[in-house]
């Protein structure tokens, strides 16, 4: 066989194995060296192919799609710096456990390190940020090689999806000519399922005797907390609530735990802990004796400080993905078990505990704090960033998805997004916590999810502005709530805000951008609101509209800080009254 026929057979076998393994979506960044892989992927009848010109945007677009579907998505690019531009999303996928399969085309070995164009060292390009790397052999049609390439395809899908999920990288050196043979169909004759490899993945489990050790400790301690950080297993929610009812422990529910809007109303789901713990002078009342934690560390810094400063706490970290999530180094027992299985076995062995004074305290303060927060926002007439969250939730259709930007938006969601029955899913890129790629990730999520709303600040929006191209090209529906405080709002809450000299230059970083014309470039609809009535109407209009809908909410950074601190002061006063009455 000639070179093109050999190359076609080789790559068709690889692609067919990906499909056999369950791959449905491919995101391609255009380029020359990746030509044969791209052309064959487009020809495959079972693959949904998306083209995204900017590699950084493409990678985050794929990441958002994988995050929403909880399934691996394939990325493909040409050689050189194109592959380097995937790096930020690969890092995010690794830390946040999102399955990605990164395919990079490469120069053949004779064109490496000799000054050839678009040739960089792509071997282990992503270092330890991928779960597995393979330098693929040059195309051959020997059965041994075809067996190997199918094996690599199966292993790539399985490894990316196997817990903990994450990215894998396969590097394909390819020689010219790069155009494959498309007639007859390169996938004819590959229908024989016996050619391809199946992978059966199991879950980590824990024995009854191991659970008994945890039960013994829990039953001896009344002051306990179940802490749920970012975790996205919808079926887990009811088991967490059942565990709370059995132990009598309140649930500290991070907004990314999916517990705040899962259709379960339970007074033990604590959603105002961040405001409660802001004033650290009361922390002595909130220190638990035992913690059972699920998911990554919560967003809340006050909660982190409480746990970090507490001593002699029994701290179980439950991780069904065999990880080590303990940035504050306070875990006393790592439990590598499927979370649902752990909850069920705990429930089978635990005795019912009557509600304790500890649980009552958390529930009462949570209700009182929620009332203060809600009333403070209702009384706020100016455009306020916290009130954006409370007003947005009122008008979202059920089963919507909010993709939240980092820095201030995710923290405002933590403070102002309360338990509700709307079944709203909250997503964010909280692995590396960067502001890059947020627009692209949200648009990636919108490929399969209906009613996706992106809540984002002006700097993050600008940073990934060209991510809007994918929404334009594929007529995707994305509603963007753009909070524009003309700079980095989060820094106004940090210690450096007290250093007035050069604060705006280094941290405030005002850009004075007008977004309207840029949004028009992507055929988007732009609305700038000036009051709450306009905001409510804009949200309602966007819900019934198609395409890119951007609602800009101009806010004032300094006034936003004052509004938040005034509210937190009222919470502190309420707690002071509460604990004075307890004495």
């Amino acid at each position: 066989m000639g070179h093109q026929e050999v190359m076609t057979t080789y790559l068709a076998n690889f692609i067919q194995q990906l499909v056999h393994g369950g791959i449905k979506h491919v995101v391609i960044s255009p380029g020359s060296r990746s030509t044969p892989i791209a052309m064959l992927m487009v020809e495959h009848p079972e693959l949904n192919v998306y083209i995204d010109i900017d590699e950084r945007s493409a990678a985050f677009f794929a990441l958002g799609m994988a995050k929403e579907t909880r399934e691996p998505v394939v990325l493909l690019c040409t050689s050189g710096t194109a592959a380097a531009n995937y790096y930020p999303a690969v890092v995010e996928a690794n830390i946040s456990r999102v399955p990605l399969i990164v395919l990079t085309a490469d120069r053949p070995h004779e064109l490496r390190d000799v000054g050839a164009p678009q040739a960089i060292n792509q071997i282990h390009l992503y270092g330890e940020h991928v779960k597995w790397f393979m330098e693929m052999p040059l195309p051959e049609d020997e059965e041994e090689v075809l067996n190997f390439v199918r094996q690599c395809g199966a292993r790539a899908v399985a490894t990316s999806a196997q817990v903990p999920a994450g990215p894998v990288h396969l590097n394909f050196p390819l020689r010219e000519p790069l155009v494959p043979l498309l007639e007859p169909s390169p996938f004819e004759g590959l229908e024989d399922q016996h050619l391809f490899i199946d992978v059966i993945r199991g879950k980590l489990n824990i024995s009854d005797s191991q659970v008994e050790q945890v039960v013994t400790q829990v039953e001896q301690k009344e002051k306990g907390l179940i802490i749920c950080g970012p975790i996205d297993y919808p079926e887990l929610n009811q088991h967490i609530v059942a565990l709370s009812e059995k132990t009598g422990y309140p649930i500290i529910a991070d907004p990314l735990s999916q517990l705040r809007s899962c259709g379960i109303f339970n007074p033990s789901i604590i959603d105002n802990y961040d405001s409660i713990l802001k004033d650290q002078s009361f922390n002595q009342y909130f220190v638990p004796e035992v913690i059972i934690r699920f998911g990554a560390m919560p967003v809340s810094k006050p909660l982190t400080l409480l746990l970090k400063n507490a001593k002699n706490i029994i701290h179980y970290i439950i991780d069904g993905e065999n990880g080590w999530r303990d940035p504050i180094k306070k875990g006393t027992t790592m439990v590598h078990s499927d979370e649902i299985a752990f909850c069920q076995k705990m429930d089978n062995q635990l005795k019912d505990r009557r509600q304790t004074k500890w649980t009552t305290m958390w529930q009462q303060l949570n209700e009182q704090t929620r009332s203060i927060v809600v009333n403070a926002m209702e009384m706020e007439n100016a455009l306020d960033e916290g009130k954006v969250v409370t007003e947005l939730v009122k008008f979202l259709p059920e089963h919507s998805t909010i993709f939240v930007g980092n820095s201030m938006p995710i923290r405002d969601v933590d403070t102002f997004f309360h338990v509700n029955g709307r079944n709203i899913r909250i997503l964010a890129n909280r692995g590396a916590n960067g502001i890059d790629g947020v627009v692209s990730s949200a648009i990636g999520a919108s490929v399969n999810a209906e009613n996706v709303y992106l809540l984002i600040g002006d700097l993050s929006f600008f940073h990934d502005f060209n991510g809007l191209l994918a929404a334009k090209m594929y007529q995707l529906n994305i509603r963007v709530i753009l909070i524009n405080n003309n700079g980095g709002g989060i820094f106004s809450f940090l210690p450096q805000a007290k250093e007035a000299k050069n604060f705006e230059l280094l941290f405030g970083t005002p850009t004075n951008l007008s977004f309207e014309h840029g949004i028009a470039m992507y055929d988007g609809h732009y609305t700038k609101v000036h009051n709450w009535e306009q905001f409510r109407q804009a949200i309602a209009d966007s819900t019934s509209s198609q395409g890119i809908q951007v609602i800009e909410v101009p806010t004032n950074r300094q006034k936003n800080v004052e509004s938040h601190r005034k509210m937190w002061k009222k919470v502190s006063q309420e707690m002071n009254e509460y604990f004075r009455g307890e004495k």
Side-chain angles (χ1 to χ4, degrees):
M1 288 195 292
H3 164 73
Q4 287 174 286
E5 189 175 357
V6 168
M7 179 180 65
T8 301
T9 300
Y10 171 94
L11 294 175
N13 272 266
F14 174 77
I15 293 167
Q16 186 64 36
Q17 178 65 63
L18 294 181
V19 173
H20 183 81
I23 295 299
K24 302 181 183 70
H25 303 290
V26 176
V27 179
I28 297 175
S29 305
S32 177
R33 189 59 53 166
S34 55
T35 293
I37 308 176
M39 291 182 69
L40 288 169
M41 284 179 162
V42 171
E43 286 295 311
H44 200 288
E46 296 180 47
L47 288 176
N48 300 309
V49 174
Y50 302 86
I51 307 300
D52 201 325
I53 296 168
D54 182 323
E55 285 85 9
R56 187 179 72 174
S57 174
F60 278 104
F61 178 72
L63 182 138
M65 202 184 307
K67 186 185 288 281
E68 197 282 329
T69 60
R70 306 182 184 93
E71 296 177 352
V73 172
V74 171
L75 267 170
L76 171 66
C77 72
T78 189
S79 62
T81 56
N85 281 310
Y86 280 170
Y87 209 120
V90 169
V91 170
E92 175 64 29
N94 180 51
I95 301 175
S96 58
R97 301 180 176 180
V98 177
L100 286 181
I101 299 172
V102 183
L103 311 179
T104 55
D106 201 354
R107 292 298 198 252
H109 301 78
E110 65 270 19
L111 291 181
R112 296 178 183 177
D113 201 24
V114 293
Q118 282 190 271
I120 68 172
N121 185 357
Q122 296 177 200
I123 307 301
H124 292 289
L125 177 63
Y126 307 115
E128 295 184 359
H129 294 291
V130 292
K131 297 176 65 179
W132 178 58
F133 168 78
M134 177 56 69
E135 163 80 339
M136 298 298 288
L138 286 159
E140 295 183 39
D141 64 345
E142 297 293 330
E143 191 58 34
E144 184 75 14
V145 175
L146 295 181
N147 283 335
F148 177 73
V149 79
R150 290 192 292 265
Q151 185 182 73
C152 288
R155 187 175 176 184
V157 177
T159 303
S160 69
Q162 181 62 42
V163 296
V168 299
H169 175 206
L170 283 72
N171 193 57
F172 283 82
L174 298 168
R175 289 194 177 109
E176 296 180 344
L178 296 168
V179 178
L181 301 177
L182 302 181
E183 295 292 342
S185 170
F187 301 103
E188 280 185 14
L190 296 183
E191 297 86 359
D192 184 359
Q193 298 299 304
H194 296 294
L195 285 173
F196 300 97
I197 303 165
D198 294 310
V199 179
I200 299 174
R201 298 192 302 272
K203 293 184 177 181
L204 294 170
N205 215 328
I206 186 172
S207 70
D208 291 337
S209 61
Q210 290 170 321
V211 168
E212 187 178 352
Q213 298 174 33
V214 183
V215 168
T216 299
Q217 292 282 1
V218 168
E219 289 187 334
Q220 293 174 358
K221 307 292 184 183
E222 287 190 356
K223 292 184 177 181
L225 291 175
I226 297 172
I227 298 179
C228 292
I231 191 168
D232 192 22
Y233 306 148
E235 61 275 16
L236 176 61
N237 296 330
Q238 59 181 328
H239 298 284
I240 296 286
V241 173
L243 181 63
S244 170
E245 291 174 345
K246 210 67 176 284
T247 58
Y249 294 169
I251 303 168
I252 303 299
D254 183 273
L256 298 174
S257 71
Q258 314 306 326
L259 273 160
R260 296 194 191 181
S261 187
C262 63
I264 300 176
F265 290 94
N266 188 295
S268 288
I269 299 177
I270 309 300
D271 52 7
N272 285 276
Y273 56 86
D274 185 77
S275 296
I276 291 171
L277 298 175
K278 273 282 190 281
D279 188 341
Q280 295 180 46
S281 64
F282 297 101
N283 276 7
Q284 59 181 309
Y285 299 104
F286 301 112
V287 178
E289 299 170 308
V290 60
I291 290 169
I292 303 173
R293 179 160 71 80
F294 299 88
M297 277 297 293
V299 172
S300 170
K301 187 173 182 179
L303 176 63
T304 298
L305 290 174
L306 174 74
L307 302 181
K308 192 171 184 178
N309 295 329
K311 298 179 180 179
N312 302 319
I313 296 177
I314 300 169
H315 193 153
Y316 296 103
I317 299 176
I318 320 302
D319 193 341
E321 298 196 5
N322 205 27
W324 198 276
R325 286 174 158 175
D326 187 21
I328 60 173
K329 293 167 285 296
K330 287 291 184 175
T332 57
T333 303
M334 295 290 176
V335 182
H336 289 160
S337 169
D338 175 70
E339 289 84 356
I340 292 177
F342 173 83
C343 289
Q344 289 174 328
K345 293 188 175 185
M346 287 285 289
D347 188 59
N348 290 337
Q349 294 191 34
L350 281 166
K351 299 174 184 176
D352 288 324
R353 193 200 306 268
R354 292 183 179 179
Q355 182 156 320
T356 64
K357 186 177 180 180
W358 165 263
T359 306
T360 301
M361 174 194 72
W362 276 100
Q363 291 179 357
Q364 289 178 346
L365 285 174
N366 191 57
E367 289 297 322
Q368 292 172 9
T369 303
R370 184 188 294 126
S371 179
I372 291 171
V373 172
V374 170
N375 290 336
M377 291 301 97
E378 288 180 352
M379 296 293 291
E380 185 63 64
N381 294 318
L383 291 177
D384 179 88
E385 294 175 24
K387 189 167 182 174
V388 168
V389 177
T390 60
E391 290 295 316
L392 174 63
V393 174
K394 294 177 185 177
F395 292 91
L396 292 190
E398 287 201 10
H399 302 286
S400 296
T401 297
I402 303 178
F403 208 105
V404 187
N406 284 315
S407 297
M408 275 312 296
I410 188 61
R411 288 168 173 81
D412 280 334
V413 168
D414 194 8
T415 301
F416 299 101
F417 185 91
H418 297 133
V419 172
N420 61 76
R422 311 295 294 282
N423 290 293
I424 296 169
R425 188 178 178 195
I426 304 179
L427 300 177
N429 288 343
R430 291 299 293 174
N433 298 350
I435 67 168
D436 46 347
V438 177
V439 175
S440 298
S441 293
I443 293 172
S446 75
V447 170
N448 292 286
E450 294 185 6
N451 297 317
V452 176
Y453 294 78
L454 169 60
L455 181 64
I456 193 169
D458 55 297
L459 292 188
S460 296
F461 190 59
F462 163 72
H463 203 283
D464 192 30
F465 195 70
N466 57 352
L468 293 172
L469 180 61
K472 176 182 184 294
M473 289 179 62
Y474 297 103
Q475 299 180 325
L476 300 172
N477 300 323
I478 184 77
R479 290 92 180 181
V480 181
I481 295 84
L482 169 59
I483 298 175
N484 190 349
N485 55 29
N486 198 24
I490 186 65
F491 293 105
S492 298
F493 289 86
L494 300 180
Q496 50 264 55
K498 297 178 182 178
E499 304 297 328
K501 184 179 180 181
N502 295 324
F503 175 79
E504 283 295 286
L505 173 68
L506 295 173
F507 305 107
T509 57
T511 58
N512 299 301
L513 292 175
S514 298
F515 290 98
E516 180 176 5
H517 300 294
I519 292 163
M521 181 171 67
Y522 296 103
D523 297 339
H525 181 268
Y526 168 87
T527 303
K528 186 173 184 177
V529 302
H530 301 282
N531 56 56
W532 292 115
E533 189 57 41
Q534 291 178 357
F535 178 78
R536 297 178 189 114
Q537 187 61 52
I539 293 295
D541 291 344
S542 72
T543 300
S544 58
S545 301
Q546 304 295 307
I548 302 168
Q549 306 288 321
V550 178
I551 302 167
E552 183 176 342
V553 184
T555 62
N556 181 286
R557 273 186 274 136
Q558 186 55 42
K559 289 182 178 179
N560 186 59
V561 172
E562 293 169 0
S563 169
H564 281 61
R565 288 179 175 163
K566 181 180 178 182
M567 179 190 70
W568 290 326
K569 185 177 180 180
K570 290 181 180 178
V571 173
S572 295
Q573 292 170 346
E574 184 69 29
M575 285 199 297
N576 187 54
E577 291 295 321
Y578 180 89
F579 290 117
R580 183 184 298 172
E582 290 292 301
K583 293 180 179 178

